[in-house]
Amino acid sequence: MSNALRAEFLKLRTTRTAPALIGLAAALTALIATIEAATAGTGSPMAIPSLSTPAGLRDALTSTGFALLAAAVLGTTSACGEFRLKTATDTYLDEPDRARVLAAKAITAAAAGLVLGLAAAATATGIALGFAAAKGYPLALPAGSILRFAAGATIGSGLLAAAGVGAGSLIRHQVGAIIGVFTWGFVIELIIGGTAGAAGGFLPYTAAATLAGVATGSGMPQVPRGVHPLPFAAATGVLIGVAILLAAAAALTTIQRDIS
């Protein structure tokens, strides 16, 4: 297992995909947080409440929805890239135990996802608090809540990246997997979550977003209205379960297929 982990961390450090996605996630988070903080309390369409209110500051602090999806994309590309670049054969010759390779990919993707989530959370937090301070507003939320949102975005990103490895291993086609991630986040969860009521909190993106502090009816992608957010530990458990289920499904099916 240690050899497989070293190989996957080496791939992560020496390819441009992970740094590019981390940079993209931070940049998109900065753009969304800046727009939301600059227009907060103006009453314009789609504007969030004033940063002097707990709801407004919370919305600005939790502008990490795109980062969560970027983490899932990071995981899928980690798995699909082997098939797109035709390097899967070499990988499995070096480590014949394909389940071990899958586990190593999930662990390294989760580590990269944690970095991505931390970068996005730090970006959103810095911008939101910077705008609030510039306008002379007192801090509308306790420090513990702010730290919880940041921790939730970090953990959620790491676990979605791990889940993305399982999804990518099942789909194998990189473009299809990426499209699937965004379709799931922007369309499918919104539809299912809007009709499932309390059960909507168990959907993976919704669980990750609420873990990061996104309020129902808010976020980009939006968390469906009417969803009851799970407690922090329960949402974390849901994401761990999703990652394990996807990896197990891939281990029993697609990664056993001939790749020559």
Side-chain angles (χ1 to χ4, degrees):
M1 184 66 176
S2 59
N3 289 335
L5 278 171
R6 280 196 294 268
E8 293 304 323
F9 275 115
L10 179 63
K11 293 174 188 176
L12 200 66
R13 293 197 307 269
T14 55
T15 56
R16 292 175 289 182
T17 302
L21 283 170
I22 292 171
L24 178 63
L28 287 174
T29 299
L31 177 63
I32 296 168
T34 299
I35 292 173
E36 288 193 338
T39 59
T42 61
S44 61
M46 304 301 291
I48 64 174
S50 170
L51 297 179
S52 63
T53 66
L57 185 59
R58 176 176 180 168
D59 283 346
L61 288 167
T62 57
S63 306
T64 51
F66 273 115
L68 293 172
L69 291 184
V73 168
L74 190 156
T76 60
T77 55
S78 172
C80 295
E82 295 273 15
F83 301 101
R84 183 176 68 86
L85 299 173
K86 312 297 184 185
T87 58
T89 300
D90 292 336
T91 297
Y92 292 140
L93 285 174
D94 290 337
E95 176 51 78
D97 188 335
R98 297 186 179 189
R100 188 172 294 175
V101 172
L102 180 63
K105 284 185 178 296
I107 292 170
T108 54
L114 290 172
V115 175
L116 185 154
L118 182 60
T123 300
T125 302
I127 291 172
L129 296 183
F131 269 87
K135 294 180 180 181
Y137 297 148
L139 195 60
L141 287 169
S145 295
I146 296 171
L147 289 173
R148 180 195 175 283
F149 297 156
T154 303
I155 295 170
S157 294
L159 293 175
L160 281 181
V165 170
S169 298
L170 284 168
I171 298 170
R172 285 195 175 187
H173 188 276
Q174 184 163 302
V175 174
I178 293 171
I179 292 172
V181 167
F182 284 98
T183 301
W184 182 269
F186 278 98
V187 180
I188 297 175
E189 283 215 11
L190 197 59
I191 294 172
I192 297 175
T195 58
F202 290 88
L203 296 168
Y205 168 74
T206 299
T210 55
L211 187 66
V214 180
T216 57
S218 302
M220 183 65 71
Q222 188 182 75
V223 172
R225 295 184 183 279
V227 169
H228 299 294
L230 297 173
F232 196 95
T236 302
V238 165
L239 291 173
I240 293 172
V242 168
I244 292 173
L245 284 173
L246 288 173
L252 293 172
T253 56
T254 53
I255 68 166
Q256 302 299 333
R257 295 175 186 168
D258 183 27
I259 58 174
S260 58

